[in-house]
Structure formats: C-alpha cells, structure tokens
C-alpha cells in the first residue's frame, strides 16, 4: 500500500495537550504511519507569535520526545519569509511523488479557507481533513463552499486511494485548551501545569518565555 502522509500545521506558541491529543486521534483514525506536526515559520495571517520559530520548534520537539508515532517537520521554520501552506505542500509533494497527502485543519480554519494564499491550489496538492468538535459548524461560504461540498467524502479509506483532492470531516476530542490562554496565565504569574507537557513548561520557565516582562 502507498504510504500516506499527514501534515498538521500551526503556530504552536506554545504547543499544548490540545494539539497533541488531536494529532494522536487523527493519526489513529486515518491509519497513518507518517504523521508530521509542522510549526509555522512566519505565518502571514498571524503577526502575534511571541516565541521565535526556533523556540517553538524546540518546544514541539520536547513535546514529541516520547511519541514515536508523531514527528516534527521543521521546513517552515527553516524557510525565510512568510510561510504559505500551499508552498509547503508543494515542496512535500515534490519529495514524496504521488503518495496520498492529508492536510489537517480545524473547523475554524476551514471556515476561513477563502482567506488562505492560493486556497484552491491546496486541493491539487493534498486532501483536506477537517478536525471538528461535535458542536462545530461548517460555515465556509460562496464558491469555495460548493467546491468543498463537491469533494466531500465520508470514508477515510477514500483518502488513501488517491493523492489529493478530497475533503473529509473527522470528529475528534478537542480539549478546551488554547495557546492564548496559556500565555495569559504565564504572563499573570499563574500556573499552566497540566495544560502542556512538563518538558515544554520547564523550557518556557528556563527561558522566561511568555512571562511578565519576559
């Protein structure tokens, strides 16, 4: 069987258990042997990253140190300039040939897909897996909504039989944790224990990240 590749991007500022639990469930439900967490380098949509790319990458590596089923892809942090997912997927596609390539995004990101750089190019490069909470709503509008509906499938196996172009909604457990909340706790001198791995929290304290005056 052709090896399929899962890609889960994000700022990871910092990475937390919500990210990690979503990745574990998605990998298992889709039956992927190659599942990559890919921290954004310089995201064009978000200028509010606090930690530098190298620091966010280091935290992710610490978080995955005991997770052999998940691995880090550092290409966006290494790349100069803005990080566009279409360019990243094109680079992976050039390396992996016609292997099925699955891009994981949350429902909120899917609803804002029309704002992404070269959003329609994504379908030529990968399948789209929308990781959604049970109460999440699909709210993408206009021509892109029709495009997504036309490509929608219900069976994960369909994604493994083609290189790209399909859309699957995947219900996962979404923990009520956010990087914004963690940064707020730390800046206020409060504890963020049990929201993210201890190794990551130790790294944050050792370097004074997110702390008041840090």
């Amino acid at each position: 069987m052709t090896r399929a590749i899962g890609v889960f991007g994000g700022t990871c500022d910092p990475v937390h258990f919500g990210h990690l639990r979503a990745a574990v469930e998605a990998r298992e439900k889709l039956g992927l042997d190659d599942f990559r967490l890919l921290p954004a380098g310089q995201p064009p949509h978000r200028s509010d990253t606090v930690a530098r790319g190298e620091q966010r990458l280091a935290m992710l590596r610490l978080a995955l140190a005991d997770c052999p089923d998940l691995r880090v892809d550092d290409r966006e942090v290494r790349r100069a300039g803005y990080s566009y997912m279409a360019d990243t997927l094109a680079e992976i596609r050039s390396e992996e040939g016609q292997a099925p390539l699955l891009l994981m995004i949350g429902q909120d990101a899917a609803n804002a897909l029309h704002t992404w750089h070269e959003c329609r190019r994504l379908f030529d490069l990968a399948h789209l897996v929308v990781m959604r909470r049970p109460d999440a709503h699909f709210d993408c509008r206009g021509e892109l909504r029709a495009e997504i509906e036309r490509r929608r499938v219900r069976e994960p196996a369909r994604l493994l039989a083609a290189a790209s172009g399909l859309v699957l909604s995947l219900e996962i457990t979404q923990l009520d944790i956010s990087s914004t909340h963690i940064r707020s706790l730390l800046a206020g001198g409060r504890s963020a224990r049990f929201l993210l791995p201890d190794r990551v929290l130790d790294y944050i304290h050792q370097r004074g990240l997110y702390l008041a005056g840090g």
Side-chain angles (χ1 to χ4, degrees):
M1 180 183 292
T2 304
R3 178 175 62 94
I5 301 160
V7 175
F8 184 10
T11 54
C12 299
D13 191 22
V15 63
H16 54 69
F17 285 131
H19 299 130
L20 302 176
R21 183 61 207 173
V24 166
E25 288 192 22
R27 190 202 70 79
E28 289 183 344
K29 290 185 176 184
L30 296 168
L32 302 177
D33 293 325
D34 186 344
F35 196 100
R36 310 176 186 185
L37 281 83
L38 193 149
Q42 186 178 350
H45 286 89
R46 298 181 61 176
S47 58
D48 60 342
T49 52
V50 177
R52 298 193 308 273
E54 295 79 6
Q55 294 171 324
R56 292 183 283 108
L57 182 62
M59 288 187 281
L60 184 56
R61 285 181 168 145
L62 287 170
L64 299 185
D66 297 324
C67 304
D69 295 333
L70 305 173
R71 69 187 183 100
V72 178
D73 190 317
D74 65 358
R75 71 184 69 230
E76 287 198 354
V77 171
R78 289 186 286 103
R79 182 190 303 146
Y82 285 131
S83 299
Y84 294 111
M85 184 54 72
D87 294 338
T88 296
L89 293 176
E91 189 174 290
I92 296 173
R93 174 64 65 204
S94 71
E95 296 167 357
E96 303 294 344
Q98 291 303 301
L101 184 56
L102 286 64
L103 173 63
M104 316 288 157
I105 64 173
Q107 186 66 67
D108 290 344
N111 290 343
L113 196 64
H114 63 283
T115 68
W116 289 37
H117 177 70
E118 296 186 327
C119 60
R120 283 183 169 78
R121 185 182 173 209
L122 299 175
F123 299 117
D124 297 328
L125 296 166
H127 300 302
L128 202 63
V129 177
V130 181
M131 301 181 296
R132 58 181 297 273
R133 300 181 304 273
D135 60 345
H137 299 289
F138 178 48
D139 193 31
C140 187
R141 300 177 182 179
E143 295 181 3
L144 194 57
R145 181 186 183 98
E147 180 86 0
I148 289 174
E149 292 294 358
R150 182 175 66 82
R151 297 174 180 274
R152 192 181 295 279
V153 297
R154 296 181 180 277
E155 303 82 18
R158 293 279 302 277
L159 306 184
L160 307 184
S164 62
L166 301 177
V167 178
L168 175 78
S169 290
L170 189 69
E171 190 170 307
I172 61 168
T173 302
Q174 293 227 355
L175 305 180
D176 190 16
I177 304 173
S178 75
S179 297
T180 301
H181 180 56
I182 290 171
R183 294 196 303 268
S184 177
L185 288 173
L186 293 169
R190 290 172 289 170
S191 174
R193 287 195 68 194
F194 309 120
L195 297 176
L196 68 172
D198 286 343
R199 289 173 179 170
V200 176
L201 191 56
D202 288 344
Y203 179 96
I204 288 169
H205 283 294
Q206 288 164 9
R207 287 157 180 80
L209 295 177
Y210 313 122
L211 308 181

